[in-house]
Amino acid sequence: MSNNYFTNPLVFLIETAFFLYMILLALRLLMPWARWDYHHPISQFIVRFTQPPLNLLRSFIPAIGRLDTATLVLLIIVTMIKLLLVSMLFGYLLGPMALIQRSIAEIFSLFITLFTVTILIEVVLSWITPPGSHNPAANLIRRLNAPLLEPVRKKMPSTSGLDLTPLVVVIGLQLLHMLVLPLLLLGL
């Protein structure tokens, strides 16, 4: 058996576990921006799983305005740990600059993926949710995506009841990803 027999499944587990926690941290970072209700069960779940390390970091990292810098720092640390673990499993170690560069690129990709997926979820929910019904998760997703969708929606011409805004924003996000990610990884 080759070395990769156990390495690949282990890398998959590490990347999945860290990705899920990074999503929670990204959502925690976006909660004030999206004006989520902190008493909502989903918000409480996110807070419960992210609060212990944040309590420690908040004791010496103050917020800057509405930016929760402790959460941002924790997201960067978790991303760096993930990248270090994966690189060590494959038998190499990232240098400090490569680690910082890849962490920034990884976090950038995380936010593009997060917004793309939540916009697609919002679209699907709009198709399957009966009119007049209340879905609390849909409300949070709508609030999360509103700062991206609303400015585009205001500038879009009327299309007889068909809202193409999500499509335009997702295409814009993917273009942004294609244009910015290579610049973030330049020199690696």
Side-chain angles (χ1 to χ4, degrees):
M1 268 188 237
S2 73
N3 225 6
N4 288 343
Y5 182 77
F6 291 111
T7 303
N8 289 336
L10 189 56
V11 166
F12 168 74
L13 289 174
I14 289 170
E15 284 190 343
T16 302
F18 274 82
F19 179 76
L20 292 173
Y21 196 71
M22 288 165 59
I23 288 286
L24 291 177
L25 289 171
L27 287 172
R28 176 76 185 254
L29 193 60
L30 293 171
M31 283 170 63
W33 181 66
R35 294 188 174 108
W36 278 12
D37 176 15
Y38 279 86
H39 299 294
H40 190 283
I42 293 174
S43 299
Q44 287 298 307
F45 174 81
I46 293 168
V47 168
R48 189 174 305 116
F49 277 93
T50 58
Q51 196 60 36
L54 286 175
N55 282 339
L56 174 68
L57 287 175
R58 284 200 175 112
S59 63
F60 58 92
I61 300 176
I64 299 174
R66 289 182 59 191
L67 177 65
D68 186 358
T69 49
T71 303
L72 180 60
V73 167
L74 183 59
L75 179 59
I76 293 167
I77 291 169
V78 167
T79 306
M80 287 179 163
I81 291 170
K82 179 193 114 171
L83 291 171
L84 281 173
L85 287 173
V86 169
S87 69
M88 288 188 316
L89 283 170
F90 282 121
Y92 64 92
L93 194 59
L94 292 170
M97 289 310 295
L99 183 62
I100 291 168
Q101 204 171 356
R102 284 198 182 177
S103 296
I104 292 168
E106 183 99 9
I107 292 168
F108 174 76
S109 289
L110 174 77
F111 280 101
I112 295 291
T113 301
L114 178 67
F115 281 115
T116 301
V117 169
T118 56
I119 289 170
L120 294 175
I121 290 170
E122 183 177 344
V123 167
V124 170
L125 285 174
S126 74
W127 295 339
I128 63 173
T129 305
S133 67
H134 175 69
N135 183 337
N139 186 34
L140 291 181
I141 291 171
R142 229 180 340 288
R143 285 180 158 208
L144 180 66
N145 295 329
L148 293 177
L149 294 174
E150 289 308 316
V152 176
R153 193 169 277 137
K154 288 176 184 173
K155 292 184 181 0
M156 291 284 294
S158 177
T159 54
S160 303
L162 184 62
D163 186 11
L164 297 176
T165 306
L167 178 64
V168 170
V169 171
V170 167
I171 290 171
L173 286 170
Q174 294 309 308
L175 282 172
L176 184 67
H177 189 260
M178 288 179 209
L179 293 171
V180 173
L181 191 64
L183 297 175
L184 293 175
L185 294 172
L186 201 62
L188 286 180

